[in-house]
Amino acid sequence: MGTDRTINLLMVDDEVKFLSTITERLKLKFFTISSATNGMEAIEAAEKGQFDVAVIDLQMPGINGVQLLETLKKSHKYLEVIILSGHATIQSAVDCTKLGAFKILEKPCDFDDLVNAIKEAYEIRLKKKFKDDAARIKKIQELSVFESPLGLLKALAKMDNTEK
Amino acid sequence: MHNDANDLLNKEGLKFFGKVNASISHELKNILAIISETAGLLSDLTELARHGKQIELSMLENCSSNIAEEIQRGFRTIKQMNRFAHSVDDFIKETDLLETLDLAIQLTGYLSFAITVQTDFQTKPEKPVLTCPFLLQNLLYQVLCFTYAAVGHNGHIHIRCSSQDNTGIYLVFSSTFEQAFSSFPTQGIQHTADVLGAKLNTDSKFAELDVWIPYTNPKFMTKEHKR
């Protein structure tokens, strides 16, 4: 997969040692990583930063992984989320899939599987964004024919892709 | 003589056993995941070194201490698993209450909603408790889970013993918040307590709850014990 920039990753896990070790390994694979040890931290990080993919644990104190997935997907349309957990059950897998999780991996998982899943999730994100961008460009072209400059600006403001 | 205890063991015992084993297996998974990733990091660093990259010694030291610490954590977890597994060896037994509580604290510590537990045992039980150790473990586990959920992850629990006479001992659970224990006891906790002859109370502000455990429950006394 050829990409001009590194993939921005948000890693969320309450197991601090696991988080720091896997973060080190992923950095060696040239990912740009921010980490959070709980759901609240993750939500704040996602608000401040711009992430392509989030990898989150399921069982965490406070906001759990399912709730975090739901919150992240609601506020960040193109963010792809991978669940990496030792606590996944069939029910939680069904719930996470319904909420839009890209993949569910069981801990401990093969590192290469995780790296591949992150890359695949990033590709999906790019495709979705590209599709929406193409639709947006088409709409702008249509508007530019029929709207006055002010009308066009207003329409563009409405269409502005503020999604992170 | 032990019919209600038997019924409870049959109905809830396996469920409890499974629940605790699931939480232990999750803990072991976490430990193995850390060891696995640390070993992977060591391998990555070795590969980089092979290609001439300078590797900081501190990174290698961190990896090595990570692995050593996680192995110790694994041993502690397996030891607790073993202690828990042996709690079903004897249906009725003279049981050390504080040891049982300690194990319950360790086992509930694996749950994601577990909070900090402080203990202060200046007052200690005068003697062992003649009871069903597995059900006692179950009762204390349930009470701890209740307190964790009631207090929430920003609080903590303080546990102490209190003794008023030689018929039993109180385990007092204090919360950081008033009203935290307003829904105590749950049906399951009450039922288990009833079978064990234990009594449950809360203070008027619902910030403290106590579990009174009898030293001897007549239901559990065999001829041998009565002698």
Side-chain angles (χ1 to χ4, degrees):
Chain A
M1 186 190 66
T3 54
D4 292 328
R5 64 175 185 87
T6 61
I7 300 173
N8 282 326
L9 257 184
L10 176 62
M11 295 288 304
V12 192
D13 202 304
D14 63 330
E15 273 283 346
V16 179
K17 272 190 201 165
F18 177 77
L19 188 63
S20 62
T21 312
I22 203 150
T23 299
E24 282 299 328
R25 293 197 75 189
L26 289 166
K27 274 181 188 168
L28 294 175
K29 296 278 177 192
F30 306 107
F31 292 114
T32 304
I33 306 170
S34 293
S35 55
T37 56
N38 60 58
M40 210 54 230
E41 263 181 35
I43 291 167
E44 283 169 11
E47 284 303 317
K48 286 178 194 160
Q50 186 163 349
F51 296 99
D52 302 308
V53 181
V55 178
I56 66 178
D57 187 16
L58 276 184
Q59 285 206 6
M60 294 182 288
I63 299 168
N64 67 35
V66 178
Q67 292 165 324
L68 177 61
L69 165 68
E70 191 171 16
T71 308
L72 290 177
K73 290 298 274 185
K74 265 185 196 161
S75 339
H76 308 279
K77 191 175 162 189
Y78 299 107
L79 178 70
E80 291 299 333
V81 179
I82 294 168
I83 305 291
L84 176 60
S85 178
H87 308 269
T89 58
I90 292 170
Q91 188 54 50
S92 64
V94 170
D95 292 344
C96 290
T97 307
K98 276 185 191 164
L99 289 169
F102 173 72
K103 204 164 239 179
I104 295 148
L105 296 173
E106 195 176 351
K107 230 195 245 176
C109 88
D110 185 88
F111 184 69
D112 290 336
D113 288 348
L114 175 64
V115 170
N116 289 335
I118 293 168
K119 286 178 179 172
E120 284 167 24
Y122 180 63
E123 278 182 10
I124 292 291
R125 172 188 159 92
L126 286 185
K127 276 180 193 163
K128 280 184 192 166
K129 236 176 169 282
F130 180 79
K131 201 175 155 193
D132 284 5
D133 284 347
R136 192 175 294 113
I137 289 164
K138 195 178 168 198
K139 183 79 180 164
I140 291 168
Q141 284 168 341
E142 284 169 11
L143 283 169
S144 62
V145 174
F146 300 110
E147 289 286 342
S148 66
L150 186 63
L152 180 61
L153 280 174
K154 279 181 182 171
L156 285 175
K158 270 187 194 172
M159 286 169 56
D160 185 27
N161 177 20
T162 52
E163 193 283 328
K164 288 180 174 180
Chain B
M1 182 168 53
H2 309 133
N3 279 351
D4 45 1
N6 261 325
D7 285 350
L8 188 60
L9 272 180
N10 289 337
K11 267 190 192 167
E12 300 297 328
L14 263 180
K15 208 189 278 182
F16 173 56
F17 206 79
K19 191 177 174 181
V20 171
N21 274 310
S23 71
I24 292 172
S25 75
H26 293 151
E27 177 73 0
L28 290 172
K29 266 188 188 178
N30 279 331
I31 292 167
L32 289 174
I34 294 171
I35 293 174
S36 163
E37 290 310 326
T38 312
L41 180 58
L42 274 174
S43 163
D44 297 343
L45 293 173
T46 310
E47 198 56 31
L48 287 172
R50 190 172 289 132
H51 289 88
K53 187 166 167 35
Q54 186 85 19
I55 303 297
E56 282 178 38
L57 211 59
S58 63
M59 284 193 89
L60 300 177
E61 283 168 351
N62 279 344
C63 287
S64 141
S65 69
N66 249 3
I67 290 176
E69 281 168 22
E70 289 310 302
I71 288 172
Q72 287 310 312
R73 181 176 159 198
F75 279 137
R76 282 196 302 275
T77 308
I78 287 168
K79 199 175 161 189
Q80 283 153 16
M81 185 168 81
N82 192 265
R83 278 172 72 191
F84 178 67
H86 283 294
S87 64
V88 290
D89 286 355
D90 298 291
F91 184 57
I92 305 296
K93 191 185 161 188
E94 287 197 328
T95 306
D96 185 316
L97 179 63
L98 294 189
E99 265 185 23
T100 309
L101 175 65
D102 175 62
L103 182 57
I105 294 171
Q106 305 296 330
L107 294 174
T108 52
Y110 300 138
L111 302 169
S112 63
F113 58 97
I115 57 175
T116 307
V117 177
Q118 295 165 345
T119 54
D120 169 14
F121 296 125
Q122 285 179 9
T123 304
K124 287 183 176 167
E126 288 171 9
K127 50 190 171 184
V129 178
L130 180 67
T131 190
C132 173
F134 185 68
L135 284 182
L136 178 63
Q137 185 66 250
N138 186 357
L139 175 66
L140 298 178
Y141 189 95
Q142 286 187 73
V143 171
L144 281 165
C145 286
F146 172 86
T147 60
Y148 297 164
V151 172
H153 68 281
N154 290 325
H156 68 266
I157 296 291
H158 182 269
I159 309 174
R160 66 178 199 279
C161 277
S162 166
S163 181
Q164 284 170 9
D165 55 39
N166 61 359
T167 60
I169 183 117
Y170 290 90
L171 285 176
V172 184
F173 297 70
S174 310
S175 120
T176 27
F177 309 116
E178 286 185 9
Q179 298 298 319
F181 301 147
S182 55
S183 58
F184 184 79
T186 61
Q187 211 180 342
I189 292 174
Q190 184 66 65
H191 186 43
T192 314
D194 289 345
V195 171
L196 290 169
K199 288 172 189 157
L200 310 166
N201 281 300
T202 54
D203 70 336
S204 57
K205 290 177 180 169
F206 298 108
E208 214 170 75
L209 67 86
D210 63 66
V211 181
W212 179 81
I213 313 278
Y215 283 126
T216 308
N217 183 341
K219 279 192 294 188
F220 295 146
M221 287 182 80
T222 61
K223 279 178 192 169
E224 196 182 313
H225 291 121
K226 283 174 186 164
R227 238 181 269 143

